[in-house]
């Protein structure tokens, strides 16, 4: 049995240190992005059906909007470099740089060895929510995505409309490849509109009813050419469970907007990370 040392309180009282102070991160020019967005014109839209996923493409310098349209619905988002699927959204590093949940002014970062901004959040209509009394907030980068493997592990079920499977099917269809070839590209997500946190007593990942309502949206500026996939989670607003045929689920609308010529004066797509990759050799 573990014995509590006499200096336990002293050890616990040591103040924390932020692992990655982000004051030196390159700052997005939100004023430029928002000014360009004001005159941008819609060039594409995709309706993601309930309990399904769909792919979409967004060119560098374009805008992506995800909207809840018919009822409270959360979505699981994957992003890839449209020209190189090995460069994909890195939720863990995004979490380390910005925190457990993201909002306007923060960025979605790509995987090693690229580690550059893929997209910048420019509008978040749920930005008012903040962090609630339970430690919950919206748009998390802590959950991995509901998947059939964990469902089988915990409950012995074969459920195919979880977000991992939805994203796998959508990507396979977009690429024209078998499921087994598409699946390794599916990765940890941005949980759009989902309200989550960690319990303070056990440190477990929790979810609660999303505050999202029809018309709420999250909007991004694409820093590079993107291929995206969005799943309308089978948990609906995730107020009870996230893998369910019983939960009320609704579609999500994806829209792409192109800026008018000259409205992004001075902007250029970010280069890949400048580390020389010598790794000490």
């Amino acid at each position: 049995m573990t014995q509590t040392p006499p200096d336990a309180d002293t050890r616990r009282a040591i103040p924390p240190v932020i692992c990655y102070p982000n004051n030196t991160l390159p700052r997005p020019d939100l004023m430029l992005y928002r000014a360009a967005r004001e005159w941008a014109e819609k060039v594409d839209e995709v309706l993601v059906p309930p309990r399904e996923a769909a792919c979409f493409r967004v060119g560098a310098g374009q805008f992506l909007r995800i909207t809840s349209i018919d009822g409270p619905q959360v979505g699981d988002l994957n992003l890839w470099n449209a020209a190189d699927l090995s460069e994909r959204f890195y939720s863990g590093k995004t979490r380390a740089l910005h925190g457990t949940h993201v909002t306007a002014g923060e960025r979605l970062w790509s995987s090693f060895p690229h580690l550059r901004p893929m997209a910048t959040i420019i509008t978040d209509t749920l930005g008012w929510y903040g962090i609630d009394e339970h430690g919950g907030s919206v748009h998390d980068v802590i959950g991995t995505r509901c998947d059939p493997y964990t469902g089988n592990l915990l409950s012995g079920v074969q459920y195919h409309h979880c977000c991992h499977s939805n994203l796998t099917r959508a990507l396979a269809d977009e690429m024209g490849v078998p499921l087994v070839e598409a699946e390794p590209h599916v990765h940890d997500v941005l949980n759009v509109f989902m309200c989550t946190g960690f319990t303070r007593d056990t440190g477990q990942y929790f979810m609660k009813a999303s505050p999202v309502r029809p018309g709420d949206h999250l909007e991004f500026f694409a820093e590079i050419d993107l291929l995206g996939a969005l799943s309308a989670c089978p948990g609906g607003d995730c107020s009870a469970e996230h893998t369910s045929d019983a939960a009320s689920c609704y579609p999500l609308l994806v829209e792409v907007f192109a800026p008018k010529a000259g409205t992004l004066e001075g902007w250029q797509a970010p280069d890949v990370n400048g580390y020389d990759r010598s790794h000490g050799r």
Side-chain angles (χ1 to χ4, degrees):
M1 188 172 183
T2 301
Q3 297 294 318
T4 302
D7 64 343
D9 288 342
T10 300
R11 297 193 202 182
R12 292 191 186 103
I14 296 172
V17 176
I18 299 299
C19 294
Y20 296 100
N22 62 15
N23 56 303
T24 59
L25 279 178
R27 299 294 174 186
D29 190 342
L30 288 182
M31 289 184 63
L32 176 68
Y33 294 170
R34 288 169 175 166
R37 172 64 184 90
E38 185 175 354
W39 302 103
E41 297 180 349
K42 184 156 75 171
V43 294
D44 194 16
E45 73 171 40
V46 175
L47 189 66
V48 183
R51 296 186 178 86
E52 291 289 351
C55 285
F56 54 88
R57 293 179 183 268
V58 190
Q62 294 184 336
F63 299 90
L64 164 68
R65 175 185 280 191
I66 299 172
T67 304
S68 174
I69 51 173
D70 290 337
Q73 177 66 45
V74 307
D76 285 39
L77 178 66
N78 268 189
L79 292 176
W80 300 267
N81 178 337
D84 177 8
L85 268 59
S86 71
E87 182 178 9
R88 61 194 194 182
F89 171 52
Y90 188 176
S91 66
K93 188 56 66 178
T94 300
R95 178 173 65 248
L97 291 173
H98 294 302
T100 56
H101 301 76
V102 291
T103 189
E106 296 175 332
R107 299 174 126 167
L108 307 187
W109 295 81
S110 70
S111 54
F112 298 154
H114 313 88
L115 193 59
R116 59 175 169 172
M118 302 182 79
T120 299
I121 302 174
I122 63 168
T123 303
D124 175 11
T125 64
L126 294 177
W128 56 267
Y129 191 88
I131 301 175
D132 64 32
E133 62 179 319
H134 307 288
S137 192
V138 292
H139 313 310
D140 84 72
V141 284
I142 50 180
T144 56
R145 65 200 175 276
C146 54
D147 69 273
Y149 302 101
T150 305
N152 183 261
L153 176 68
L154 297 178
S155 305
V157 298
Q158 297 285 326
Y159 187 78
H160 309 300
H161 285 271
C162 48
C163 289
H164 177 87
S165 296
N166 294 349
L167 294 167
T168 297
R169 291 193 305 274
L171 185 61
D173 290 346
E174 177 71 18
M175 296 173 62
V177 299
L179 294 171
V180 69
E181 185 175 333
E183 185 175 15
H185 293 292
V186 173
H187 53 278
D188 286 352
V189 298
L190 169 62
N191 279 309
V192 178
F193 306 139
M194 194 171 180
C195 189
T196 61
F198 292 110
T199 60
R200 293 193 172 110
D201 53 351
T202 63
Q204 289 175 285
Y205 180 55
F206 73 76
M207 62 187 187
K208 56 184 289 188
S210 172
V212 69
R213 296 295 182 268
D216 279 322
H217 56 272
L218 192 63
E219 194 156 293
F220 307 84
F221 176 77
E223 302 282 356
I224 63 174
D225 290 337
L226 295 173
L227 168 62
L230 180 68
S231 171
C233 182
D237 68 355
C238 288
S239 57
E241 52 187 334
H242 56 63
T243 304
S244 168
D245 281 332
S248 296
C249 293
Y250 303 92
L252 291 170
L253 179 63
V254 174
E255 297 171 285
V256 179
F257 300 84
K260 289 190 175 181
T263 57
L264 283 172
E265 191 76 29
W267 172 82
Q268 59 182 18
D271 293 328
V272 297
N273 193 271
Y275 176 61
D276 65 13
R277 303 187 68 184
S278 63
H279 301 292
R281 290 281 179 87

